[in-house]
């Protein structure tokens, strides 16, 4: 770990030396935005919006917009706290080397203060404008991602992203809670879909980037149990995920279009997972992993976008004999 | 260390690039605060609703 620490200190020192004294912030606006993990934020906004739309209730559009903003900022805050905590390992992984803290553009203390301020502000704001159940769920999500996942699970167990995946699965519930003041089976199913989707998604990336994680000392499944076991686990999780993806239609809050989209995209997801399982060596194996990683994002997007489209565009046609 | 290569610093020890970044941060902060004010105003109006005008005087 001395190597990691040295690299971080060297990078930070280089950043400071090339610019101003350490007491002056070196960060540009885009560095602070990068601390919020905008891509993760966009996924959180999307899934929280889905939770709001499938909720059995109504919300004033202004309050709804403000609630989504609060959830997005809360998610960004947890990403910021994650980057603050993980700056040492970010400094040794090629994918994260240029993040603002390891690159020396933002001091760790600045990121910590920024993350805590946004966390507290977003939770209080959501509580005041929507309700305290939604705010409580947002606070728990931030705590789960920043403390339970980042500080505890990530460096301790190869099941880190399995358990930690819950943090990314809460937003639909927060969205529903903001509208109705409660959570239902509908968003519990959306929670389960994201929760089961997370391991195959990240393990596909971990198979390709296992060298990075090994250098950083993060016990990802490919480094601990080997690539073959990881491929088996990816396939098993996908076998659970695909039928689970159909559940919204079976329960009744997804319509006929959703059922068709979930079935077709789920079938392709399974094909991608089977290719990862079968192709174990060389460029074909790497290509299969990237294909699964990329399509898993499309798959989740399709499921949630279809749920939104069915409600917003009036395309909801109940599946005969299924659901409510 | 030659004087030509040394970045010129002002009385506060800031280079031109530091000042530019600080100015960008200040503008971003001002915009964020302005948006928050507008958001709080809109949320307040939305939460009060039209009933705020129907009250005993």
């Amino acid at each position: 770990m001395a190597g990691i620490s040295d690299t971080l200190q060297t990078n930070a020192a280089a950043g400071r030396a090339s610019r101003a004294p350490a007491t002056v912030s070196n960060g540009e606006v885009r560095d602070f935005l990068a601390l919020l993990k905008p891509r993760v934020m966009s996924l959180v906004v999307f899934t929280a919006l889905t939770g709001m739309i499938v909720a059995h209730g109504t919300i004033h559009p202004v309050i709804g917009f403000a609630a989504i903003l609060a959830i997005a900022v809360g998610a960004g805050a947890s990403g910021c706290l994650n980057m603050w905590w993980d700056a040492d390992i970010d400094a040794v992984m090629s994918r994260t080397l240029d993040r603002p803290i390891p690159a020396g553009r933002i001091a760790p203390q600045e990121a910590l203060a920024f993350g805590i301020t946004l966390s507290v502000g977003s939770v209080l704001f959501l509580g005041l404008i929507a309700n305290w159940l939604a705010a409580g769920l947002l606070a728990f999500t931030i705590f789960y991602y920043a403390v339970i996942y980042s500080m505890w699970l990530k460096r301790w167990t190869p099941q880190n992203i399995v358990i930690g995946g819950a943090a990314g699965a809460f937003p639909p519930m927060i969205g529903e809670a903001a509208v109705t003041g409660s959570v239902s089976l509908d968003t519990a199913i959306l929670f389960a879909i994201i929760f089961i989707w997370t391991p195959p998604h990240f393990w596909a990336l971990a198979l390709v980037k296992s060298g990075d994680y090994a250098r950083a000392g993060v016990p990802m499944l490919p480094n601990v149990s080997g690539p073959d076991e990881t491929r088996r686990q990816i396939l098993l999780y996908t076998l659970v995920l695909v039928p689970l993806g159909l559940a919204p239609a079976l329960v009744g809050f997804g319509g006929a279009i959703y059922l068709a989209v979930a079935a077709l995209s789920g079938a392709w997801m399974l094909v991608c997972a089977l290719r990862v399982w079968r192709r174990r060596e060389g460029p074909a194996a790497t290509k299969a992993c990237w294909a699964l990683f990329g399509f898993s994002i499309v798959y989740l997007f399709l499921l949630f976008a279809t749920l939104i489209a069915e409600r917003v565009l009036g395309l909801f046609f109940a599946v005969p004999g299924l659901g409510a | 260390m030659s004087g030509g290569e040394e970045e010129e610093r002002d009385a506060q020890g800031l280079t031109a690039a530091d000042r530019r970044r600080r100015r960008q941060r200040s503008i971003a902060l001002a915009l964020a605060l302005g948006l928050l004010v507008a958001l709080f105003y809109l949320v307040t109006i939305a939460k009060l609703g039209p009933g705020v005008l129907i009250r005993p005087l």
Side-chain angles (χ1 to χ4, degrees):
Chain A
M1 291 300 280
I4 297 172
S5 168
D6 289 349
T7 308
L8 177 63
Q9 284 173 9
T10 307
N11 284 338
R16 284 198 296 272
S18 66
R19 291 172 180 161
T23 51
V24 177
S25 177
N26 283 322
E28 297 198 13
V29 174
R30 64 181 170 193
D31 293 323
F32 283 93
L33 292 177
L35 283 178
L36 304 181
K37 297 193 174 181
R39 278 184 295 183
V40 176
M41 264 173 92
S42 63
L43 183 67
V44 167
V45 166
F46 190 56
T47 55
L49 183 65
T50 309
M52 272 187 170
I53 287 173
V54 302
H56 299 284
T58 56
I59 190 168
H60 191 289
V62 172
I63 305 294
F65 171 78
I68 286 287
L69 191 67
I71 295 168
V73 171
S78 65
C80 179
L81 292 172
N82 166 271
M83 281 205 207
W84 163 72
W85 183 258
D86 278 346
D88 57 342
I89 55 178
D90 282 350
V92 293
M93 297 205 293
S94 61
R95 189 170 65 86
T96 52
L97 182 61
D98 195 41
R99 283 180 174 174
I101 302 173
R105 296 192 297 273
I106 286 184
Q109 298 89 330
E110 281 181 285
L112 177 62
F114 190 49
I116 289 176
T117 304
L118 293 184
S119 298
V120 173
S122 60
V123 169
L124 287 179
F125 185 57
L126 187 61
L128 289 169
I129 63 158
N131 55 68
W132 292 103
L133 175 66
L137 284 171
L138 180 62
F140 182 68
T141 304
I142 295 170
F143 174 79
Y144 199 98
Y145 187 65
V147 177
I148 296 181
Y149 170 70
S150 302
M151 297 182 186
W152 180 36
L153 295 171
K154 186 171 179 179
R155 304 182 195 212
W156 175 59
T157 168
Q159 295 300 311
N160 46 17
I161 53 142
V162 177
I163 309 167
F170 276 115
M173 281 186 170
I174 305 173
E176 184 185 30
V179 175
T180 65
S182 65
V183 290
S184 69
L185 176 66
D186 294 357
T187 49
I189 289 172
L190 297 181
F191 174 96
I193 290 173
I194 302 174
F195 185 72
I196 299 296
W197 167 88
T198 305
H201 170 73
F202 276 107
W203 283 336
L205 177 71
L207 278 171
V208 180
K209 296 281 182 183
S210 59
D212 259 8
Y213 287 112
R215 265 196 305 282
V218 178
M220 292 299 279
L221 195 62
N223 305 99
V224 177
S225 303
D228 288 349
E229 175 61 16
T230 306
R231 286 180 163 85
R232 196 176 74 87
Q233 295 276 340
I234 285 175
L235 186 58
L236 289 175
Y237 271 90
T238 309
L239 284 169
V240 176
L241 174 65
V242 173
L244 192 60
L246 305 176
L250 306 182
V251 172
F253 69 96
I257 296 175
Y258 176 85
L259 184 62
V261 169
L264 289 173
S265 57
W268 189 249
M269 185 78 188
L270 201 52
V271 168
C272 290
L274 277 167
R275 283 180 178 163
V276 168
W277 185 63
R278 289 183 60 190
R279 298 174 186 175
R280 304 191 172 205
E281 299 287 337
T286 306
K287 195 178 165 189
C289 289
W290 280 123
L292 175 62
F293 178 74
F295 185 74
S296 62
I297 296 169
V298 175
Y299 173 70
L300 198 68
F301 173 80
L302 282 175
L303 296 191
F304 283 75
T306 309
L307 285 174
I308 292 176
E310 282 188 331
R311 302 295 172 115
V312 175
L313 303 177
L315 300 172
F316 184 90
F317 306 107
V319 183
L322 288 180
Chain B
M1 188 181 292
S2 71
E5 288 176 4
E6 179 75 17
E7 284 186 276
E8 223 173 283
R9 293 182 184 276
D10 63 12
Q12 293 171 304
L14 301 178
T15 65
D18 292 332
R19 285 196 297 276
R20 180 182 58 78
R21 281 192 292 271
R22 189 167 69 171
R23 184 173 165 75
Q24 278 181 352
R25 289 196 303 271
S26 302
I27 291 170
L29 201 54
L31 285 173
L33 287 173
L35 286 174
L36 269 182
V37 168
L39 190 64
F40 289 163
Y41 175 76
L42 288 171
V43 164
T44 304
I45 297 297
K47 282 194 85 72
L48 287 174
V52 71
L53 297 175
I54 306 167
R55 57 183 179 159
L57 294 173

